[in-house]
Amino acid sequence: MADNKLFSEFAPQSTQEWIDKITKDLKGADFDRKLVWRTNEGFNVQPFYRLENMEDKMYMNTYPGDFPYVRGNKKDNNDWFIRQDIIVEDVKAANAKALDVLNKGIDSLGFVLNWKSLSKDELATLLEGVYMDCVEVNFEKSHGSVELIKNLQAIATEKGIALDKVQGGVAIDILGGYSACGKFCTSEENSYNYLKEAVEAAQELPNFKVVAVGGRLFNNSGSSIVEELGFSLAAGAEYISKLMEAGLSIEEIAPKIRFNFATSSKYFMEIAKLRAGRMLWAYILKEFGASEEMCKMFIHGETSDWNKTVYDPYVNMLRTQTEAMSSVLGGLDSYTVKPFNSVYEDTTDFSERIARNQQLLLKEESHFGKIADPAAGSYYIESLTESISEEAWKLFLEVQEKGGYLAAFKAGFVQETIKATAQKRDMAVATRKENFLGTNQFPNFGEVAEKELDAALFEAEDKTDANAECETLKPYRGAQAFEAMRYKTDVYAKENGRPKVMMFPIGNLNMRKARGQFACNFFACAGFDVEDHNGFTTVEEGVKFVTEKNAKIVVVCSSDDEYATIAPEVYEALKGKATVVVAGAPACAEELKAKGVENFINVKSNVLETLKAYQADLGIK
C-alpha cells in the first residue's frame, strides 16, 4: 500500500515527454544522431524502452518451456552442460585427461578426433571410466561417424546404460564443410546419403545429435549476429528438406539437429540472438509438420575466435567471461569456453583450468542455471529479440528465394553478404570505432613478443580445396592486422632498437595532457617506444630534450589556438631529425601544411593505415 501511495504522488510521464526532456538537455543536438544506435544487424536501437514497447509481442504471454520456446526449452531451470574439448592423439592419454577434467567440474566432453576412423576397442578405451548416463560425450571428426555411432551404442548396451540416457553428439556438418572447402568430400548426393545413414544409426540414441549446423563459421568469418542466425536457419532448413526427400520423417530428423553458435562480445545482442533463434526455428519446424513438442532448437555455444588477441592475451579472459554470461542468460544446452591462449598456442593446464572455472563460477556460485529465462521482461532485451528475429527472418527468406542455402552459397550471396559486413567491421577496428582492448586501444606499452610467432596467426584460415567450386568462407580474427603491424616492430627492434616516439607537450595544460595521453595510446598500438613528458616551457627546451632522446617521431601536444605558432617552430627546429606530428585537427591545419607540417592524428584517423605509413617511413617492413 505504501508503494501505491508513493507512486500515486508522481504523475505518469509519456514517452513523448521523456523525448522532449532529453531533446532539451541535448541543447539542439539531433536526438537520432546523438542517441540512436545503428547496428551492424540492420536495425536501430533506441536509448530507452518502456512497457508500451512490449504490447505487440505475441510471445510475451508464454512461459518457459512453451512453444515457440523464445523463453527457453526448460520449464523450471536454465541448466546447461559445461564442455571442455580434448584433442585426441592417443586414446589412453585422452581418456586420462577426460577423467581428470570430469573430476574438476566438467560434465560434457568434446573429443576432437583427427583420425579418419576409430575402432570399437579404441572408442572403448577412450570412454573407459566415463559414465555416459551422467555426462555428455561429443565428437568432432571428419570421417567414420556412422561407425562411431554404432560402436557407441554397442558400448553403452554392453555397460548396461539405458540408451535414452546417452547424451551428446557427433558433429556432421556437410554444409559447413562445403562453405569452408568449396566442395563436398565426394558428391552432394553421397554426402546426404551418409548424413541419412548417421541419422538412422542414431535413432536408438534419442538424445544424441548428429546433424550440426555450424553458425560459428559465419561468426568467425566476421558476420553480424543477424547473418549468423539467418544463414544458420537456412542451413538447418536445408538439412531437413534434403533428409525428408531421402525418406526420413520430421520426427526422425528434428531431434537430431544441433546448432553450434559462437558468441561475440555484444552482450545483450547475444542474449537476444539465442532467444530469437529458438523462436524462429520453432516456426520453421512447425511448417515442416513437427508437433509443438518437437519444435525445440538444441544449441551448443562456444566463445568466438574473431575478437581474441595475441597481444595482451589475458584480456581474452574478460571477453570469454562476458560471452559465457550472455550465452547462458540467453539459454542453451551446452557451452565451451575456449582457453584465453587457444588462438596462438597449445593450451596449458592453467589456461584450461581458468576456462573451466569461468563457467563453474556462473553455475555454482552465481546460480545462473537456477532461473528459467532470466532475461524475461527486460524491455531492452525483449525489443532486441524481436528486432533480431525480424531481420534474421528477412535474410532467411531471401536465401530461400535464391533456392536455399547451397544455391545461395554457390551464387556467392552468403560470402558477399558476410564479406561486406566483415569489411565494415575491419574499418571500424582500424578507426577504433570497434575496440580491442590492449590491441587497437589502450595497449600495454611494455609488452613485447618474446618468441617467434607463426605468420599464419595474422592470416585468415583458408581451407579452400584445390578443386573448389566457389569462393569459401575464411575465418579470421579482427585484431590480426594490428597484431601483424606490431609484430613487425618487435622483429625490427631486435636488431635495430625500438623506434622512439616522444610527446612534445607545451602550452595549455589541459589540452596538452589530454592530447599527450591520446597520442601515447595511438602510437603504442604499433609497438613503438612511447614516452610522455610533463611539459616544456619553451620550444627550445623541448627540442633539446627530444633530440637528446633520439626521438624518431615527435608529437606536438597543445591547444588548437597555440598550434599556429608552436607547430611550425618545432617543425623547423627538428626538420631532417625527426618526423613532427600534430595531435588534433586544428582549424589552422591547411596553414600548417603550407609551412611543411603535414602529419596530424586525431579521433577520426585510420589508426591502422596511419601507423603502417609511419612504420614504412622508419624502414620497418
Side-chain angles (χ1 to χ4, degrees):
M1 294 296 292
D3 286 343
N4 289 338
K5 183 177 180 181
L6 173 64
F7 286 110
S8 67
E9 295 179 5
F10 296 91
Q13 303 295 309
S14 68
T15 298
Q16 188 57 51
E17 287 175 311
W18 275 106
I19 292 175
D20 291 342
K21 174 59 178 172
I22 294 170
T23 302
K24 180 180 178 181
D25 290 345
L26 287 174
K27 298 178 180 178
D30 184 82
F31 178 90
D32 289 338
R33 288 178 60 85
K34 198 77 173 177
L35 298 179
V36 177
W37 168 31
R38 182 67 179 179
T39 70
N40 286 332
E41 284 64 37
F43 58 86
N44 292 335
V45 174
Q46 299 297 322
F48 67 93
Y49 291 90
R50 292 165 56 91
L51 179 60
E52 64 196 58
N53 296 112
M54 303 296 103
E55 293 174 355
D56 59 346
K57 293 173 179 52
M58 58 183 177
Y59 58 82
M60 290 297 294
N61 293 324
T62 63
Y63 291 96
D66 289 348
F67 182 89
Y69 305 107
V70 65
R71 301 195 59 192
N73 293 343
K74 307 178 185 74
K75 289 185 177 296
D76 54 2
N77 66 71
N78 188 42
D79 202 9
W80 76 99
F81 285 106
I82 299 175
R83 186 190 297 187
Q84 179 171 333
D85 291 339
I86 298 173
I87 297 175
V88 181
E89 296 176 344
D90 176 86
V91 289
K92 289 185 178 180
N95 171 259
K97 184 169 185 176
L99 297 179
D100 179 55
V101 299
L102 287 173
N103 284 324
K104 294 176 178 176
I106 290 297
D107 54 10
S108 176
L109 297 168
F111 293 112
V112 181
L113 303 167
N114 296 320
W115 305 345
K116 289 189 176 182
S117 62
L118 195 67
S119 71
K120 181 182 175 184
D121 289 342
E122 289 170 328
L123 181 61
T125 300
L126 181 63
L127 297 176
E128 183 64 34
V130 176
Y131 292 88
M132 291 188 288
D133 50 349
C134 299
V135 302
E136 263 199 345
V137 287
N138 302 277
F139 303 90
E140 293 253 354
K141 68 194 311 292
S142 54
H143 298 280
S145 296
V146 173
E147 179 187 2
L148 186 148
I149 293 166
K150 292 177 179 178
N151 289 337
L152 183 70
Q153 180 177 332
I155 291 170
T157 301
E158 291 168 6
K159 291 185 175 183
I161 297 172
L163 296 184
D164 64 345
K165 297 294 184 182
V166 178
Q167 298 189 74
V170 55
I172 307 176
D173 184 10
I174 59 177
L175 290 176
Y178 186 93
S179 301
C181 299
K183 67 183 293 291
F184 292 105
C185 289
T186 54
S187 68
E188 180 181 352
E189 181 180 2
N190 289 341
S191 296
Y192 275 109
N193 286 338
Y194 186 79
L195 186 61
K196 179 189 176 185
E197 286 183 49
V199 172
E200 291 173 332
Q203 287 304 309
E204 296 300 318
L205 299 168
N207 295 309
F208 197 76
K209 315 302 179 190
V210 298
V211 182
V213 180
R216 60 189 178 184
L217 175 62
F218 309 128
N219 181 294
N220 288 319
S221 298
S223 77
S224 69
I225 283 175
V226 162
E227 289 160 1
E228 179 187 9
L229 184 55
F231 290 137
S232 295
L233 293 171
E238 189 140 330
Y239 279 132
I240 293 176
S241 296
K242 291 292 185 180
L243 291 172
M244 289 183 75
E245 288 174 10
L248 297 179
S249 67
I250 189 64
E251 289 76 15
E252 292 173 306
I253 303 166
K256 296 303 177 188
I257 298 177
R258 177 163 59 189
F259 286 77
N260 294 332
F261 291 123
T263 316
S264 73
S265 57
K266 295 180 179 179
Y267 186 79
F268 293 105
M269 288 279 192
E270 289 291 349
I271 297 173
K273 177 182 78 178
L274 299 183
R275 301 174 88 246
R278 282 194 301 272
M279 178 171 63
L280 295 178
W281 186 240
Y283 284 117
I284 290 172
L285 286 177
K286 194 170 184 180
E287 285 299 310
F288 277 108
S291 65
E292 289 192 353
E293 180 60 30
M294 280 274 186
C295 292
K296 296 177 180 178
M297 173 185 268
F298 300 100
I299 303 171
H300 172 69
E302 63 181 42
T303 51
S304 174
D305 288 336
W306 192 88
N307 64 343
K308 302 307 180 294
T309 60
V310 172
Y311 284 94
D312 213 352
Y314 293 116
V315 178
N316 290 334
M317 295 184 193
L318 304 180
R319 298 180 179 115
T320 54
Q321 190 64 56
T322 63
E323 290 163 11
M325 287 177 64
S326 59
S327 288
V328 169
L329 291 173
L332 35 62
D333 300 286
S334 56
Y335 198 74
T336 300
V337 171
K338 292 186 176 182
F340 71 90
N341 58 343
S342 62
V343 297
Y344 64 89
E345 66 180 6
D346 292 336
T347 58
T348 62
D349 289 341
F350 170 73
S351 65
E352 290 177 0
R353 177 192 173 201
I354 293 297
R356 284 193 302 271
N357 288 348
Q358 286 179 271
Q359 288 199 73
L360 290 171
L361 285 169
L362 296 178
K363 180 179 280 191
E364 305 299 340
E365 297 192 24
S366 300
H367 306 294
F368 275 31
K370 300 295 185 183
I371 307 299
D373 193 19
S378 162
Y379 302 159
Y380 179 41
I381 295 176
E382 297 289 7
S383 296
L384 288 182
T385 299
E386 181 178 58
S387 295
I388 290 174
S389 64
E390 288 176 350
E391 295 303 318
W393 186 248
K394 290 178 186 176
L395 184 59
F396 172 82
L397 293 178
E398 192 170 357
V399 173
Q400 301 313 302
E401 290 172 359
K402 295 181 181 299
Y405 178 82
L406 187 59
F409 194 90
K410 287 183 176 180
F413 174 72
V414 177
Q415 306 93 307
E416 290 169 6
T417 302
I418 292 176
K419 186 186 296 184
T421 298
Q423 288 174 344
K424 289 179 183 177
R425 298 185 71 185
D426 289 343
M427 180 57 70
V429 173
T431 55
R432 297 205 290 206
K433 292 179 181 178
E434 186 164 348
N435 291 329
F436 283 87
L437 183 64
T439 300
N440 74 340
Q441 188 70 281
F442 305 119
N444 180 348
F445 290 13
E447 184 177 14
V448 176
E450 300 291 349
K451 62 181 181 180
E452 184 176 350
L453 299 177
D454 190 336
L457 281 175
F458 311 124
E459 299 172 355
E461 180 184 359
D462 190 353
K463 293 184 177 180
T464 307
D465 189 271
N467 298 313
E469 301 170 350
C470 57
E471 184 182 359
T472 60
L473 292 177
K474 302 171 183 64
Y476 73 106
R477 293 179 299 105
Q480 284 178 340
F482 270 90
E483 292 171 346
M485 174 182 65
R486 184 164 180 172
Y487 184 60
K488 285 182 181 179
T489 301
D490 286 346
V491 172
Y492 174 88
K494 289 179 181 179
E495 295 184 2
N496 304 283
R498 197 165 296 275
K500 169 76 75 174
V501 179
M502 278 293 305
M503 301 304 111
F504 198 110
I506 188 169
N508 183 285
L509 179 62
N510 290 333
M511 293 303 299
R512 78 190 192 200
K513 280 191 171 183
R515 284 175 163 164
Q517 291 172 352
F518 169 81
C520 282
N521 182 36
F522 190 103
F523 281 98
C525 292
F528 296 150
D529 181 11
V530 176
E531 186 175 337
D532 202 355
H533 192 276
N534 287 331
F536 303 111
T537 56
T538 65
V539 169
E540 291 75 15
E541 177 192 358
V543 168
K544 181 175 182 297
F545 186 86
V546 299
T547 301
E548 291 174 351
K549 287 281 188 176
N550 193 30
K552 301 299 182 183
I553 298 175
V554 174
V555 187
V556 183
C557 304
S558 189
S559 65
D560 286 4
D561 293 339
E562 292 169 298
Y563 278 142
T565 55
I566 291 175
E569 289 184 42
V570 176
Y571 172 76
E572 288 298 329
L574 292 174
K575 187 161 54 175
K577 301 176 183 177
T579 299
V580 175
V581 180
V582 171
C588 62
E590 292 304 319
E591 178 184 337
L592 294 177
K593 290 178 182 179
K595 296 180 179 180
V597 183
E598 298 181 343
N599 295 285
F600 299 83
I601 60 169
N602 53 69
V603 293
K604 293 184 178 181
S605 296
N606 184 317
V607 182
L608 178 64
E609 295 304 321
T610 302
L611 290 176
K612 286 167 70 174
Y614 287 126
Q615 271 191 328
D617 289 344
L618 293 169
I620 301 175
K621 301 178 181 178

